[in-house]
Amino acid sequence: MSIEVSNLTKLYGRQKAIDNISFKIDNAEIVGFLGPNGAGKSTTMKILTGFLAADSGNAMVGGLDVRSHSMETKKKTGYLPEGNPLYHEMYVKEYLSFIADVHHLKDKNLHLKKAIEITGLTPESKKKIGQLSKGYKQRVGLAAALIHDPEVLILDEPTSGLDPNQIVEIREVIKNLGQNKTVLFSSHILQEVEAICDRVIIINKGNIVADNRLSDLQNNKKDLHIVLVEFKEAVDINIINGIKEVERVEQLQTTYYKLQTSNPESVKKQLLQLSLLHNLNIISLQSESESLEEIFKNLTN
């Protein structure tokens, strides 16, 4: 069951939340959907799940247009929205039973049992939702999203606000689900997606800025490095900006700079020359390969 987006645009007033974006996700593929706040992730997901109408373009689930075949595509899709809205006064089983009734499921108890087992809710299944930890509340949201055994899962920030142990647990649930379902998984954090997905789509200011396998994304940027330099005294940033072969300069602290370059040895040599020329004292000078976090930051700045 595939997801396909073609030339999709959504405006809020005069602001374009998403701007003519296109991508396709194949059957049984887990794809990370990355971007900073306000990039257009949630808007795209709401359109794919039929909760929001696009202004132009097409969104397809399993070959069906989500606008003209709304009910059919919703039956094929499980959706965990950002914020995970739940009825906290209801018991876990009561809430999931209610969701099963909404989907008019036959063999409701079988679906209920399976969803609870898959998400690891068994030890907490007799509690009220309001009594659960944030991690177990996320599991309830996941159970509700998959109780009707959808072929597509769309998960908007499912690990938001969780502690490290809870994040690992939810990761494993999503990994297992992705073995036979198509999953679009949204997150701000590149490491989070790296642990679950092979492919990533990065969106920024409503535009797709990258759509690659993670390994390809790293290989494309493998020639970029970071040079970190710390001075004893304050330095005029114009002096740093004058260094050749530097693509980007970031002042981390008053005397601490981060420089992006494809030629770190040349940049370090120029920094040493500048220190002599301007009577500056370098405390530390080192270079390192650009991390995935840096790649994401550069694409979304």
Side-chain angles (χ1 to χ4, degrees):
M1 181 64 63
S2 64
I3 296 172
E4 188 168 0
V5 166
S6 302
N7 306 117
L8 207 62
T9 297
K10 177 64 183 177
L11 292 88
Y12 296 118
R14 294 183 178 180
Q15 181 180 354
K16 284 186 177 180
I18 50 175
D19 186 7
N20 199 40
I21 66 170
S22 300
F23 61 84
K24 184 177 180 181
I25 302 173
D26 293 325
N27 184 43
E29 186 178 13
I30 306 179
V31 174
F33 199 30
L34 283 167
N37 285 328
K41 302 188 304 296
S42 294
T43 296
T44 304
M45 290 179 153
K46 287 175 183 177
I47 291 171
L48 281 168
T49 51
F51 286 87
L52 194 65
D55 290 302
S56 62
N58 297 301
M60 313 279 284
V61 172
L64 297 174
D65 187 277
V66 297
R67 180 179 291 182
S68 56
H69 296 85
S70 176
M71 291 305 296
E72 293 95 324
T73 54
K74 284 179 180 177
K75 289 176 182 178
K76 298 175 183 293
T77 304
Y79 177 40
L80 176 62
E82 185 181 13
N84 189 17
L86 298 168
Y87 294 110
H88 286 191
E89 70 279 7
M90 296 180 75
Y91 290 91
V92 172
K93 281 188 174 180
E94 179 187 13
Y95 173 71
L96 294 176
S97 178
F98 163 68
I99 298 297
D101 288 337
V102 169
H103 288 287
H104 304 290
L105 296 179
K106 297 178 181 179
D107 300 320
K108 181 174 75 172
N109 289 334
L110 184 62
H111 283 274
L112 192 63
K113 181 181 178 182
K114 186 177 179 182
I116 287 173
E117 287 178 352
I118 288 173
T119 54
L121 276 169
T122 302
E124 306 291 315
S125 62
K126 295 181 180 180
K127 289 184 179 181
K128 282 190 174 182
I129 293 172
Q131 297 175 314
L132 301 179
S133 68
K134 179 70 182 291
Y136 274 105
K137 285 175 183 173
Q138 290 296 86
R139 290 171 186 260
V140 173
L142 273 174
L146 60 85
I147 196 167
H148 58 299
D149 195 23
E151 297 170 75
V152 171
L153 277 175
I154 295 178
L155 310 175
D156 195 357
E157 303 287 351
T159 59
S160 176
L162 303 187
D163 67 38
N165 290 330
Q166 293 167 338
I167 288 173
V168 171
E169 292 168 357
I170 295 299
R171 280 179 185 171
E172 289 306 310
V173 172
I174 295 170
K175 267 187 177 180
N176 292 332
L177 290 171
Q179 292 177 8
N180 54 21
K181 298 183 187 298
T182 301
V183 180
L184 181 61
F185 167 77
S186 164
S187 178
H188 290 107
I189 308 164
L190 197 53
Q191 309 100 297
E192 180 65 32
V193 176
E194 184 182 12
I196 300 173
C197 314
D198 290 323
R199 177 182 160 204
V200 61
I201 296 171
I202 302 178
I203 186 170
N204 185 47
K205 297 180 181 178
N207 295 284
I208 302 293
V209 294
D211 183 356
N212 280 307
R213 294 181 66 83
L214 276 173
S215 57
D216 293 337
L217 187 62
Q218 288 177 291
N219 288 335
N220 289 341
K221 299 292 182 179
K222 66 182 178 181
D223 59 334
L224 291 179
H225 299 265
I226 298 297
V227 173
L228 298 169
V229 58
E230 185 177 6
F231 295 91
K232 186 177 180 180
E233 54 278 296
V235 179
D236 186 348
I237 195 169
N238 290 321
I239 294 175
I240 307 298
N241 285 329
I243 297 174
K244 296 177 181 179
E245 298 177 280
V246 171
E247 297 187 18
R248 184 166 170 264
V249 175
E250 184 177 353
Q251 187 173 8
L252 302 178
Q253 296 174 9
T254 305
T255 61
Y256 194 34
Y257 293 87
K258 180 168 71 174
L259 293 73
Q260 184 189 73
T261 178
S262 58
N263 194 340
E265 294 308 315
S266 172
V267 169
K268 287 194 288 185
K269 184 177 179 180
Q270 290 178 71
L271 282 165
L272 291 170
Q273 291 171 343
L274 282 174
S275 70
L276 294 172
L277 181 63
H278 296 278
N279 197 26
L280 301 171
N281 296 290
I282 294 178
I283 295 174
S284 67
L285 179 61
Q286 56 186 318
S287 62
E288 57 189 38
S289 296
E290 191 176 45
S291 66
L292 287 172
E293 292 99 329
E294 290 294 335
I295 294 170
F296 170 74
K297 189 174 181 180
N298 291 328
L299 286 169
T300 57
N301 270 342

